[in-house]
Amino acid sequence: MNCPRLRSWFSERYDVDGIRDLFRKKTVPAHRYEIAYYTGGTTLFLFAIQFVTGMVLSLYYIPYFEHAHGSIIEIVTKLNMGWFFRSLHHWGAQIAIVVLFVHLWCTLLLKSYRKPRELLWFSGFILLVISIFFGLSGYLLLWDERAFAAVRVATGGAGNLPLVGGFIKAFLRGGMDVSGDTLTRFYAFHVSILPLFTVLIVAGHVLLVQYHGMSVPLSVSGQTRKDVPFFPNVFYKDLIVWLIVLGMVVTFATLFPPEIRGKADPLAPAPENIKPEWYFLFLFQTLKLFPGQIFGLNGETIAILLITAGILFLLFIPLFDIKSQRGEKSPLFTWIGMIYLLYFLVMTVIGFVS
Amino acid sequence: MKELAMAFAGIFIAVATLWAGQEKIEVFPGSPYEKLIIYENLIIFWIGIIGLVVIIGMKLREIKRIRNMGIDREEKDIPVLD
């Protein structure tokens, strides 16, 4: 498409050539770990799918406890392609969280968080927490018996934190127990508060990536390597990955549409063998390891404190890894990263099987 | 007798409603024709994706070939025809 008048209109007002040069000069380091660079772009692409499918679903969803469950059944059974969009939203979320975890561990093991990229790590970590909360809040919107019980357990677990636990539980639930108020609150989180924070933090994260450039792992930073231009080489490779991921999401959405159980009944007992979503399984399994009482203290509170300490250590890892800050190899933190990864995988598998 | 029959009918309807309520909600179009169309479209979708991946791969190879030949750089002081 060639529109000289439109081009000159923009050129008179903005430095179009300067922006074009900026894109043309952007390069990406080529080395044996370069596959890790594609995880970030893929996450962004999956976030875009979630935004689009979420917007479509919000046109028909009724965020009121009496109608929420029925409105989803209507979307799935009566609307043309409604089942597909719901399934796409569900599988898009699952795969986005998988890719986010892969992105996190690539960053952790390649020490991409080291100076001067600490803020990139913090913003990415906050995005992971937001994404998990997206999952939890979206899960309740279904308002079926399993979602109800899972959210009751999850918010109850947060309530075990000393000092602030009671406040967090009441704030999340909008009352003493999970109720219609919780649904309204989670809907607000899911469609307005979390997307707003996500857009802002993603924008900051992407800007920081552009500012610092791609991180090069320490093991290959000393070697001579040939950088490749982002446009078009890496961009085309990104497109290939996005297409394959899109194909995977569509295939899962078609072959395994998520089920809907009976409408939530706050007075009914929790269904048997209730399990949280897969990304909470490691927490769920950890809580099971602790006895009810440890030296006269509540075992669950101690478990939640230890988990919180573990998560905070992971968040502030760029500040603890002094060797990486100096540009030296730090095998201790590679091992710590591996232990975190193994613990997450093993506990998730045990939680899934048991 | 009539009251007994009415009571039985009432119980039957209540049990039937409960049983029907526990049934799984259909989250995928049930008719064989719709299923066929959906699976057919999934195959066509994958053919499209594979086609696009092949085209982008060819384009990438072409870009690399031009780079290796060194003819991708703009020459300075090139005479302008107009």
Side-chain angles (χ1 to χ4, degrees), chain A residues 24 69 73 76-77 83 86 226-229 232-234 236-237 239-240 243-244 246-248 250-251 253-255 257-262, chain B residues 21-29 34 38-39 41-42 45-46 48-54 56-60 63-64 67-68 72 74:
Chain A
R24 208 177 273 177
H69 188 255
I73 294 173
V76 170
T77 55
W83 69 271
R86 186 193 159 236
K226 200 177 177 185
D227 292 354
V228 287
N233 294 46
V234 178
Y236 278 158
K237 283 184 187 170
L239 272 183
I240 291 175
L243 279 170
I244 293 167
L246 179 68
M248 280 168 61
V250 169
T251 309
T254 311
L255 300 181
E259 62 169 0
I260 303 170
R261 291 202 179 187
Chain B
Q22 281 172 348
E23 241 184 53
K24 267 189 154 185
I25 297 152
E26 283 286 330
V27 288
F28 190 71
E34 280 177 317
I38 288 164
Y39 293 137
N41 277 313
L42 185 63
F45 182 74
W46 266 108
I49 284 185
I50 292 165
L52 278 171
V53 168
V54 170
I56 296 169
M58 284 161 67
K59 186 81 185 161
L60 263 173
I63 290 163
K64 274 180 195 161
R67 260 174 76 89
N68 289 340
D72 58 324
E74 282 178 28

Side-chain angles (χ1 to χ4, degrees), chain B residues 2-80:
Chain B
K2 195 180 169 185
E3 282 167 355
L4 200 65
M6 287 290 279
F8 269 118
I11 291 167
F12 176 75
I13 290 167
V15 169
T17 316
L18 271 175
W19 181 75
Q22 281 172 348
E23 241 184 53
K24 267 189 154 185
I25 297 152
E26 283 286 330
V27 288
F28 190 71
S31 73
Y33 176 72
E34 280 177 317
K35 279 183 185 172
L36 177 75
I37 295 285
I38 288 164
Y39 293 137
E40 210 175 68
N41 277 313
L42 185 63
I43 293 166
I44 294 167
F45 182 74
W46 266 108
I47 292 169
I49 284 185
I50 292 165
L52 278 171
V53 168
V54 170
I55 291 167
I56 296 169
M58 284 161 67
K59 186 81 185 161
L60 263 173
R61 270 201 299 278
E62 181 68 10
I63 290 163
K64 274 180 195 161
R65 196 175 66 87
I66 290 171
R67 260 174 76 89
N68 289 340
M69 287 163 74
I71 55 172
D72 58 324
R73 288 180 215 100
E74 282 178 28
E75 278 183 46
K76 281 177 185 172
D77 305 325
I78 195 162
V80 185

Side-chain angles (χ1 to χ4, degrees), chain A residues 1-11 20:
Chain A
M1 200 170 73
N2 195 12
C3 302
R5 284 183 67 187
L6 186 69
R7 194 183 294 170
S8 65
W9 191 91
F10 272 103
S11 299
R20 196 190 294 158

Side-chain angles (χ1 to χ4, degrees), chain A residues 18 37 110 126 141-142 149 163 190 302 309:
Chain A
Y37 295 147
L110 296 175
I126 294 167
L141 300 190
L142 191 56
L163 301 173
H190 197 75
I302 292 172

